[in-house]
Structures are given as structure tokens and as C-alpha cells.
Amino acid sequence: MSDNIVPDTEHRGLVARLPQVPRDLAQLGRFDRPIGWWLLFWPCAFGVWLAGAGAQWMLLAWLLLGSVAMRAAGCVYNDIVDAELDRKVARTAVRPVASGRISKRLAWAWLLALCAVGLIVLLQLRWQAQAVALASLALVAGYPFMKRITWWPQAWLGLVFSWGAPVGWIALRGDHLDALAALYAGCALWVVGYDTIYALQDREDDALVGIRSSALRLGARVRPGVALFYGGAAALWALAFWLLRGDWVALLALAPAAAHLAWQVATLDPAQPANPLDRFRSNRWTGALVAAACFVVGNA
């Protein structure tokens, strides 16, 4: 089992070249799956670019580093909490803590090291943005337990993974909070949509071990459910643009992202094992398209 890589991993060659313990730590932080930190970073970019203060490359670089570190920290924490459940699910049974290759003590040490990187990033922000970022810790701490008590843990994840939008915005300005609220709510629905797609991979195992998810709750209605979440996300992003600019033409900037989301729904096939993972990963391009729209609307 020590040579196994989580089935939905990326960059297998890079991870496989590492010695055993560093490789396991890299897998524990999901460094073999960069899609996660892209999805955490994009809302940060939305907030920064819609705020209208220009490109802000240095701020974005810090937020990207923070996204990589804190996404990894969140995964480590999640695996520590979920070790017993992960052993019962085929896709997650080979994870380092669940399989016993990494002890919980070492996992906690790795978590603290990643949080130290996050602290360095936090100190680069003005105090208002620091306060907003710290407020997310309660949401992060609660997330692993949501799958035990609600059919909609994806909704909680939406609150967590969208938090970069207010951090990026408040790092630059403190007004137009109505537009920020719409942007954040749109991101949260987007997360619910794509994580429902991701959860399709584990429906059978989740049902057997008692893990709850939106994919299980929606059942045969997954595709219209995802369409509803994505449609709501696009509508709320459009509302954010309207509240900021009040210009119908500005809404056209969202057309490419909306078309991409529609493509995901139209081509989603839960019966094909590779299809949901491919559609989930394609959201890195959704994020890029929405970020571009935010830059145009915020800075044009």
C-alpha cells in the first residue's frame, strides 16, 4: 500500500519521486491534487479584482501562497478527524493517516507547519482583512463533522471555500458590502455545485458507511440540482456586478463562465467513473473566467 497514490491524484511522477515520508506528507496535504488550491484561490482573485484597485499582483501572490498552505492544512485536519471513516471508503482508504503510514502525531506537526505559512501570509494583510480571514477558522474546524449531521456538507464547504472573496475585497476596500455579499453567496453556490459533482465518485461507499452528501440526497436529480446551484451562482455574480456598476453591458463579462458551467451540466454523466472528476476539475477554468470578468467589471 505504501506505493499507492490516491486514485484522483495529479502529477503522479513528481509525487512518486519523493522519499516515502515526504511523499506521504505531500499526499496528506493534497499537493498531488492542485485543483483544490486553485478552487480556494479563485474567490480571492474575484474579491481583489472586483474591488477595482488594479492587478495587485503582489497581493494575489500572497493570497495564492496562503491558499496552497491553508488548503493543505485543511486537508490534514480533515484526514486526522476522518481517519476512521476514510478507512471504510475505497477511494480514501489509502490516504496516509487512514492507512497508518503517517501517525496522527506527525500529521498534527505537519498541520502546525502549514499554519505557520498561513500566519506569514496573514501578516501581509491590513488588520481588517486579517480579522476577516481569522473568522473563517470556526467554519474550517466544523467542516469535517458536517457529513455526519447533515445531507448538505457541501453547503458548509461553500461557506469555507468562498471565504477568500471577502478577504481579498476587504484587503483593499470596505464599502459596497452589498456587492461583496452577492459575490460571496454566488461563490458558495458554485462550490455546492462542483462539490456535488465531486461527491458522485463516492456515492456507493458513502451510503454504506453512513456518510451524507448532496450527491446522495439529490439521487437521480443530481444534474438538475447542479444546474440550479450553478444558475444561482451566475445570477448572484451578475447581481454583484450590477450593484457595483449598474450597467447591463457589464453582465456580458460573465457569459463565458456561464457557458462553461452550462457545458458541465449538459455533459455530466454520473454513470461514467471518470466523467464527474473531469467536470469537477474543469472548474479551475470556471474560476479563471469569472476572475477575468471581475477584473473587467472592477477596473474597466
Side-chain angles (χ1 to χ4, degrees):
M1 183 172 289
S2 63
D3 293 329
N4 285 340
I5 300 225
V6 178
D8 58 355
T9 189
E10 298 182 58
H11 303 315
R12 291 170 183 264
L14 179 61
V15 172
R17 292 190 187 98
L18 294 173
Q20 184 66 58
V21 173
R23 179 172 62 190
D24 287 335
L25 292 176
Q27 288 185 318
L28 186 57
R30 311 291 197 275
F31 289 115
D32 54 336
R33 289 187 281 169
I35 180 60
W37 52 258
W38 275 117
L39 294 176
L40 188 60
F41 167 71
W42 281 127
C44 301
F46 300 171
V48 168
W49 279 350
L50 192 61
Q56 295 289 327
W57 295 118
M58 184 57 68
L59 174 59
L60 287 174
W62 280 115
L63 291 174
L64 178 59
L65 176 61
S67 297
V68 174
M70 297 315 295
R71 183 263 185 155
C75 290
V76 174
Y77 172 68
N78 189 79
D79 281 13
I80 292 171
V81 173
D82 278 353
E84 295 302 321
L85 284 177
D86 283 347
R87 291 188 184 104
K88 301 175 183 178
V89 177
R91 188 177 58 83
T92 59
V94 296
R95 285 178 175 172
V97 176
S99 65
R101 300 195 311 275
I102 292 292
S103 69
K104 287 190 176 181
R105 185 174 182 176
L106 180 55
W108 278 112
W110 181 219
L111 173 61
L112 291 175
L114 292 166
C115 287
V117 176
L119 178 60
I120 293 172
V121 174
L122 184 71
L123 295 176
Q124 311 310 309
L125 307 176
R126 65 175 188 157
W127 73 264
Q128 294 93 334
Q130 291 176 0
V132 172
L134 288 172
S136 70
L137 294 180
L139 292 172
V140 174
Y143 171 67
F145 304 99
M146 292 301 109
K147 68 188 72 174
R148 297 166 170 85
I149 62 176
T150 176
W151 287 103
W152 298 96
Q154 282 71 25
W156 194 272
L157 185 68
L159 300 178
V160 174
F161 256 60
S162 303
W163 205 261
V167 172
W169 181 280
I170 298 298
L172 295 170
R173 62 189 296 178
D175 60 339
H176 274 297
L177 297 183
D178 53 349
L180 173 59
L183 178 70
Y184 175 71
C187 290
L189 286 183
W190 176 43
V191 175
V192 176
Y194 69 60
D195 202 57
T196 297
I197 293 175
Y198 186 76
L200 288 171
Q201 300 173 94
D202 298 328
R203 281 194 299 184
E204 291 78 10
D205 286 337
D206 286 350
L208 287 173
V209 302
I211 296 175
R212 301 178 181 185
S213 75
S214 54
L216 281 172
R217 189 62 172 173
L218 289 169
R221 301 185 296 276
V222 165
R223 183 181 287 177
V226 172
L228 182 64
F229 297 134
Y230 279 173
L236 285 164
W237 287 332
L239 176 61
F241 288 8
W242 176 259
L243 291 171
L244 189 66
R245 291 282 298 268
D247 182 357
W248 290 106
V249 176
L251 304 186
L252 295 176
L254 280 172
H260 183 75
L261 291 173
W263 169 81
Q264 286 187 44
V265 173
T267 61
L268 179 63
D269 184 359
Q272 297 295 323
N275 179 279
L277 181 59
D278 180 69
R279 299 304 176 272
F280 165 75
R281 283 179 177 164
S282 74
N283 278 285
R284 73 184 69 187
W285 300 113
T286 309
L289 293 169
V290 176
C294 288
F295 183 83
V296 169
V297 173
N299 296 277

